[in-house]
Amino acid sequence: MGREISINGYQLEICSNSPQSALHAAQGGATRIEFCQNLENGGTTPSYGQIVQTRKLINIGMHVLIRPRAGDFVYSDLEFEEMLADIRFCKETGCDGVVIGVMNRDATVDIERTKALADAARPMHVTFHRAFDKCADPMSSLAILIELGIDRLLTSGLKNKAENGVELLKELVEYANGKIVIMPGAGVDSNNIEMILKITGATAIHSSAKDTVSSEMSYDRMEVAGMNEPIYMTSKEKVHQLVDILKKQ
């Protein structure tokens, strides 16, 4: 956590999906990254090589997404063991935190497994991710996360984009009352970051700040589908724009 400086009292987390994206986030002035891969499917846990390389590349906060697959957040015993193993590796590698989310079939927080993951992660920082946005009851779910001692909650306010969830986000910030950091995220950009922060009262915010990058292949065999799609990459310029806005708040 010592790597994370504030920007005029705010924390800016950038969701980065590769070592190159992480480097762009750091160069743009971000406070920390949420590190993942496969952002096209909502993000999954990055590989051993990506984690090791990125930790060497950046000196800002590095919080790794612990998500074994795309889809829902109800996990099998094997998947849960995989998550524990990934957390142990992140601790050994010197990561600053992990980002987790485990739900029950009835859309309540899986208390037992969330506690087990958080316990395994300490003394790293623990964030509960947007699995929360699928919960049945946001206030009772938030109360559970506070009781479990989770450090931070990434949420869009149960909407597709945070700008549409600002009223609930404001309620969550007020309910949390400093016991957990509420971090709005999803669709945050230079056009709405000021509005989201002003209405919600949040002091941490999350953005992918990404560009879509087309393939550099000069030849594509058209009769073979796929394997040449555009990819996402963190934009240093977009991160810098967000940082500049935060400096003026």
Side-chain angles (χ1 to χ4, degrees):
M1 297 299 291
R3 298 182 181 93
E4 298 183 16
I5 60 174
S6 67
I7 304 167
N8 194 23
Y10 294 96
Q11 300 287 321
L12 174 63
E13 179 175 281
I14 299 298
C15 182
S16 296
N17 63 338
S18 68
Q20 184 65 66
S21 284
L23 188 58
H24 285 174
Q27 292 170 337
T31 297
R32 61 175 171 259
I33 62 165
E34 180 198 35
F35 191 47
C36 68
Q37 65 176 345
N38 194 27
L39 191 54
E40 293 80 4
N41 284 313
T44 54
T45 303
S47 73
Y48 161 91
Q50 289 174 318
I51 293 172
V52 170
Q53 187 178 31
T54 299
R55 182 69 288 176
K56 292 178 180 178
L57 279 173
I58 65 171
N59 61 2
I60 62 174
M62 179 175 167
H63 299 253
V64 177
L65 177 63
I66 305 299
R67 187 183 181 210
R69 56 163 171 76
D72 67 24
F73 306 101
V74 179
Y75 296 112
S76 69
D77 290 343
L78 281 175
E79 288 169 333
F80 181 66
E81 290 300 320
E82 178 183 343
M83 296 168 81
L84 287 170
D86 284 333
I87 286 173
R88 287 192 291 269
F89 176 70
C90 288
K91 187 187 296 187
E92 293 166 1
T93 315
C95 297
D96 298 284
V98 292
V99 183
I100 64 173
V102 190
M103 305 295 287
N104 295 311
R105 290 179 175 83
D106 63 356
T108 58
V109 173
D110 186 327
I111 296 173
E112 182 179 349
R113 284 184 164 180
T114 299
K115 183 180 186 304
L117 294 175
D119 288 347
R122 299 302 182 189
M124 292 190 296
H125 193 283
V126 178
T127 300
F128 197 92
H129 59 53
R130 288 192 60 216
F132 181 89
D133 290 318
K134 284 289 193 177
C135 73
D137 185 332
M139 291 308 175
S140 65
S141 296
L142 179 58
I144 288 170
L145 297 180
I146 292 172
E147 180 67 23
L148 290 173
I150 303 301
D151 300 294
R152 183 164 57 231
L153 170 62
L154 169 61
T155 172
S156 60
L158 278 60
K159 300 292 184 180
N160 285 327
K161 294 185 176 182
E163 65 181 351
N164 299 321
V166 288
E167 295 304 327
L168 178 58
L169 286 165
K170 181 175 185 292
E171 292 180 29
L172 293 171
V173 169
E174 292 172 349
Y175 183 95
N177 193 29
K179 296 173 184 174
I180 185 173
V181 174
I182 305 299
M183 180 171 61
V188 174
D189 58 27
S190 59
N191 296 313
N192 59 27
I193 186 172
E194 287 184 275
M195 178 273 288
I196 293 170
L197 291 172
K198 181 178 180 180
I199 293 178
T200 64
T203 57
I205 196 151
H206 171 104
S207 173
S208 61
K210 63 182 181 290
D211 279 334
T212 301
V213 180
S214 297
S215 170
E216 296 183 359
M217 293 289 292
S218 60
Y219 172 78
D220 184 15
R221 183 172 293 282
M222 301 302 294
E223 59 267 41
V224 179
M227 297 185 286
N228 203 19
E229 301 90 344
I231 62 171
Y232 292 141
M233 184 175 293
T234 299
S235 163
K236 179 169 61 177
E237 291 73 23
K238 288 182 178 179
V239 174
H240 198 271
Q241 288 174 2
L242 296 173
V243 171
D244 282 346
I245 292 170
L246 291 177
K247 286 179 177 178
K248 296 173 184 176
Q249 294 302 297

